[in-house]
Each structure stands twice: as structure tokens, then as C-alpha cells.
Amino acid sequence: MLNANVKDLLNQQVNKEFYSAYLYLDFSNYFETRGLDGFANWYKIQAQEERDHAMLFYQYLHNNNESVTLDAIAKPDKVLDSDMTVLKAGLEHEEYVTSLINGIYAAAYEVKDFRTMQFLDWFVKEQGEEETNANDLISKMELFGSDPKSLYMLNSELAGRTYSAPSLVL
Ligand code: FEO
């Protein structure tokens, strides 16, 4: 049995990760409408990764004989009125998710739940990578976004992103 608070936070994270998937699908939706298919691809794959994250939390709870409650997923609430707004919303969201992961880690640490801390180690590293990716996208857009040819090339680069399953297997 997991500590009740740790269990609740892990269960909430299932929902938060599915929300992240839904949010990034909305970002992809924005870029599809803009005609920037590479950006749309990048965020569609991001959405797939978020679903994977949700399922890792789901499976971890079941592997520990805990039930999972599936709550309603909130409507994506970011105002997407420019390319840069979307990219910055992505970074802001990842920083928020990092704070959530850190919060679960702190709760597990408090009750000496070393198993959960070890499980979360992968997510701590993943959040570092996701914030870096979001920052890199913003930097590239700042450098190249105002020039149509450069934007075309950046879009082509992002079209090359392919999905790969998470390295963490439960
Ligand atoms: Fe599941 Fe983008 O953090």
C-alpha cells in the first residue's frame, strides 16, 4: 500500500498528463490551421508522449495494488493567438508539470517511499528535457520566425520528429 497522500498525488498526475496530451493536441490543432504541418507534427508527437506519461502513472499505481480513479479531463484553456504564444504556453506548462512532479517527489520523500522516488527519477530527468525542448523552440522562433524562408526550414525540421516509446518500462 502506498501512503494515502502519495497515492492521491500519483492518481491526480494521471489526469494531469492526459490534460497535457489534450493541451498539446490543441497546439497541434492550431498549427494545422496555420498550415505549419511540421509544428503540428511536433506537438502531435508531444501529445503521444504525454499519453505515455499518463499510462506510466496508471500502471505504477496498479503495480502497487492501488485502484485508479479516472476524472474528467479539462478543456485546454490556453489562448492561442500567435505562434510565439503557443510556444511560450508550452514552456509555461512544462514548468508547471515539473512543479507537480517535484511535489509528488517531496511527498514520497517525506514518508521514505523510496520505490516511488525511484519511479519518479525518470520523470525528473524527462521534465528537464521537456523544458529544454520548449526553450529551444522559443529560441529558434525568436531567431528565424520573422523570415518566411527560415520559418519554412524550421517547419521542415520539426516535420522530421518521430515518435518513440518511453525508455521507462513498468
Ligand atoms: Fe508529461 Fe510534458 O510532461
Side-chain angles (χ1 to χ4, degrees):
M1 289 285 283
L2 295 172
N3 166 270
N5 184 40
V6 171
K7 191 255 170 180
D8 281 351
L9 291 172
L10 289 166
N11 198 147
Q12 285 171 31
Q13 197 62 27
V14 174
N15 189 277
K16 302 280 187 190
E17 298 289 346
F18 276 124
Y19 172 79
S20 298
Y22 214 30
L23 181 68
Y24 287 129
L25 191 60
D26 202 31
F27 288 11
S28 184
N29 187 31
Y30 166 90
F31 282 114
E32 288 281 3
T33 306
R34 278 272 288 135
L36 289 169
D37 58 344
F39 283 82
N41 172 65
W42 200 92
Y43 280 113
K44 203 181 297 172
I45 287 169
Q46 193 62 31
Q48 281 180 283
E49 289 198 357
E50 299 299 349
R51 283 197 294 275
D52 289 338
H53 296 170
M55 291 309 297
L56 286 167
F57 282 99
Y58 170 91
Q59 196 59 53
Y60 180 76
L61 284 161
H62 278 299
N63 286 359
N64 284 277
N65 294 316
E66 299 286 357
S67 60
V68 177
T69 302
L70 296 175
D71 287 322
I73 300 166
K75 181 178 177 176
D77 59 348
K78 306 278 187 190
V79 178
L80 311 178
D81 54 9
S82 74
D83 300 345
M84 190 56 100
T85 306
V86 178
L87 303 193
K88 287 191 171 167
L91 175 60
E92 186 185 305
H93 183 68
E94 285 308 325
E95 288 170 345
Y96 167 64
V97 174
T98 297
S99 76
L100 296 174
I101 299 293
N102 289 347
I104 310 171
Y105 207 107
Y109 179 81
E110 205 174 300
V111 296
K112 295 188 170 61
D113 180 352
F114 302 113
R115 185 190 298 168
T116 297
M117 287 159 65
Q118 191 182 47
F119 165 69
L120 290 172
D121 280 341
W122 186 86
F123 285 93
V124 172
K125 187 163 175 281
E126 178 75 4
Q127 281 313 119
E129 288 171 11
E130 300 231 317
E131 286 187 32
T132 299
N133 291 340
N135 263 312
D136 285 353
L137 269 185
I138 290 169
S139 299
K140 285 179 180 175
M141 191 58 116
E142 279 170 352
L143 284 167
F144 311 121
S146 57
D147 172 55
K149 280 187 197 155
S150 302
L151 182 61
Y152 179 81
M153 289 179 72
L154 179 55
N155 184 63
S156 301
E157 178 192 321
L158 298 181
R161 184 181 184 186
T162 54
Y163 169 75
S164 55
S167 56
L168 178 64
V169 178
L170 297 179

